[in-house]
Amino acid sequence: MPAPITNDLFATTAPGLESIALGELKRLGLKGKAEVGGVSYRGDQETIFATNLWLRTASRVLVRLAQFHASTFYELERRANRVPWAEFVPVNGTVRVRVTCRKSRLYHSDAVAERILGAIARVAPGTVQVESESSAADDADQELETANDAQTPAQLFVVRIVDDQCEISADTSGELLHRRGYRQEIGKAPLRETLAAAILLASGWRPSESLMDPLCGSGTIPIEAALLARGIAPGLTRRFAFMEWQMFEKERWEKVLGQARDAAVTNRVALEISGADRDKGAIEAATRNAKRAGVADDIRFVVRTLSASVKELENLRNPGWILTNPPYGVRLGDTEGLRNLYATLGSRLKSGDGEGWRLGILTSDAVLARQTGLPLRARFSTSNGGIPVAFLAQEKPSGVTAPQRKSRVAEEIDG
């Protein structure tokens, strides 16, 4: 077996989640560096396999193939011809090129893509090339998934030319990593699995604590919590782009996959996770999603109003967290009545009856957040469905004296 080759890797994230993904890398025993749009690190094929399997907040894992100066098309073509494309192109497969050009003499992204596709065709003539796509930003994955992402399996190459410096990367993931495979039914305002995982990790919730999502919709937060608590790798049941590479080392993949399966078995713990929603159809969908994820026995889903859910806190054994993604008027087009909803979220905790509990919410509206009457602080800010949002959480459990702070959600969202 050949010696492992170390690669420069980059795990992309939604804006604002870089530090959380960096923490995940550290827990995997990897050294990394947070950058705009993700985290950089180094590793061999086993590292590629492990990070695709285990990272809960990343969108993709890229392997950086080349970095060079390119201010002319001649220079671009000459250097692109040296990239080892064949190692990453499936036999008789398809490729896709995503190009970003900023502050560079080569500013025409379609023309850049044409040269890159030509370089690939020279080393992999049997490859079927699909249309390239241009991106005005580096985080094109985060909010807009192209039809190709959803429908056409293809090896994606990402090309960035900034200040005449060209960087070429190969996608190792295939479908975006939030697609765990279990969430086949979604609600009106779905929350990505990666964002739900970020909420859990940023809150500091521990499996020994109770967790309730009283507005759970299709159940993403409770399901991600159960996967996290049980040590189930989020990518355990899906396929990845690297499995189609000519350089794919199947034995090493089976080793990493086997270790992940063993971890899921040995990390079985007793959990108190619940999800509620007044919509019966949503709860039925959440239950089916949890079953597909293999955690149906770890979550209690019930049809229940928000006020009834808040009253239920006193009946749970261990205090913990209310973590939820409540509606915010911008997303669902309904601002009337939302103030009462947010006030209800904080009512039991503010009154002291929910001693030991803490609230964490994802919202875009500072005014609505203040209706909880609780001292909330932003843990991270990002976007959800194209809407700027912040995750706000209590620093100390209810019943513990804490200085009152003015909510900084407006600054977090605007900044």
Side-chain angles (χ1 to χ4, degrees):
M1 183 176 292
I5 299 175
T6 302
N7 303 284
D8 289 323
L9 306 173
F10 188 76
T12 68
T13 70
L17 304 189
E18 296 92 343
S19 62
I20 301 174
L22 180 62
E24 290 193 83
L25 279 181
K26 290 180 179 178
R27 285 187 286 275
L28 291 174
L30 298 170
K31 294 182 179 180
K33 178 183 178 183
E35 301 179 11
V36 176
V39 290
S40 60
Y41 56 107
R42 290 179 59 79
D44 58 13
Q45 274 208 41
E46 286 192 15
T47 307
I48 293 173
F49 302 159
T51 48
N52 270 289
L53 270 176
W54 284 103
L55 289 179
R56 300 178 188 275
T57 60
S59 300
R60 291 190 190 277
V61 174
L62 304 175
V63 56
R64 286 170 167 163
L65 306 183
Q67 291 177 299
F68 52 84
H69 180 273
S71 57
T72 67
F73 284 117
Y74 171 77
E75 193 172 16
L76 175 67
E77 291 177 329
R78 182 171 60 86
R79 300 299 295 270
N81 285 333
R82 300 178 184 176
V83 175
W85 303 105
E87 296 180 0
F88 302 93
V89 176
V91 177
N92 296 323
T94 59
V95 300
R96 185 157 49 91
V97 176
R98 176 176 296 164
V99 178
T100 302
C101 299
R102 289 193 289 114
K103 301 179 181 178
S104 299
R105 296 179 187 178
L106 299 180
Y107 60 86
H108 197 298
S109 57
D110 288 342
V112 170
E114 181 181 353
R115 268 68 173 188
I116 297 297
L117 288 171
I120 296 172
R122 279 187 281 275
V123 297
T127 300
V128 178
Q129 299 174 357
V130 300
E131 291 184 2
S132 62
E133 53 191 74
S134 303
S135 172
D138 295 330
D139 60 345
D141 282 335
Q142 310 314 325
E143 303 302 344
L144 298 176
E145 296 177 43
T146 67
N148 286 331
D149 276 324
Q151 300 171 10
T152 306
Q155 174 59 54
L156 172 66
F157 292 101
V158 179
V159 181
R160 296 176 66 246
I161 303 181
V162 180
D163 293 324
D164 294 333
Q165 294 299 313
C166 180
E167 179 180 275
I168 299 175
S169 302
D171 171 42
T172 75
S173 303
E175 285 192 311
L176 295 177
L177 292 179
H178 78 272
R179 290 179 172 163
R180 324 284 206 217
Y182 67 79
R183 198 178 68 163
Q184 297 178 19
E185 300 172 74
I186 60 176
K188 295 179 181 178
L191 182 71
R192 277 194 175 183
E193 295 89 330
T194 45
L195 187 47
I199 288 171
L200 291 159
L201 294 171
S203 71
W205 172 76
R206 296 171 296 178
S208 59
E209 300 174 308
S210 295
L211 184 143
M212 174 187 287
D213 182 353
L215 303 161
C216 72
S218 56
T220 309
I221 292 177
I223 293 171
E224 288 294 316
L227 292 173
L228 177 63
R230 284 191 49 194
I232 298 176
L236 195 61
T237 61
R238 54 162 285 168
R239 290 188 63 82
F240 300 95
F242 61 71
M243 300 170 76
E244 307 300 325
W245 292 351
Q246 296 185 44
M247 60 181 292
F248 174 54
E249 298 179 39
K250 187 175 180 180
E251 289 185 5
R252 286 198 169 111
W253 165 243
E254 293 293 342
K255 172 188 172 183
V256 175
L257 186 62
Q259 291 171 341
R261 286 172 175 160
D262 292 342
V265 172
T266 58
N267 280 277
R268 186 83 193 205
V269 294
L271 303 173
E272 195 168 63
I273 300 173
S274 59
D277 201 286
R278 65 187 304 169
D279 185 336
K280 181 180 178 181
I283 291 299
E284 291 174 346
T287 301
R288 290 190 291 268
N289 286 338
K291 184 175 182 179
R292 281 186 286 268
V295 294
D297 294 338
D298 299 302
I299 307 170
R300 179 173 174 247
F301 284 115
V302 294
V303 180
R304 193 164 54 199
T305 64
L306 174 60
S307 58
S309 293
V310 173
K311 290 179 182 178
E312 180 68 15
L313 295 181
E314 61 190 34
N315 296 325
L316 297 178
R317 293 192 305 273
N318 301 311
W321 281 90
I322 297 176
L323 295 177
T324 192
N325 176 34
Y328 23 99
V330 173
R331 190 163 177 83
L332 294 180
D334 175 22
T335 56
E336 294 297 327
L338 289 182
R339 290 189 178 188
N340 288 337
L341 184 150
Y342 279 74
T344 300
L345 274 173
S347 60
R348 184 57 61 112
L349 279 65
K350 186 172 62 174
S351 68
D353 293 338
E355 185 173 348
W357 284 85
R358 282 187 277 184
L359 175 67
I361 59 174
L362 187 76
T363 185
S364 69
D365 196 315
V367 174
L368 289 175
R370 285 194 288 270
Q371 299 304 308
T372 64
L374 298 170
L376 303 175
R377 188 174 74 86
R379 299 285 179 93
F380 66 80
S381 58
T382 184
S383 62
N384 184 27
I387 300 171
V389 294
F391 173 60
L392 309 173
Q394 286 178 263
E395 292 297 288
K396 293 185 178 182
S398 295
V400 177
T401 302
Q404 296 290 314
R405 304 188 195 188
K406 181 179 180 181
S407 173
R408 298 209 316 259
V409 64
E411 292 81 358
E412 289 291 330
I413 294 172
D414 293 338

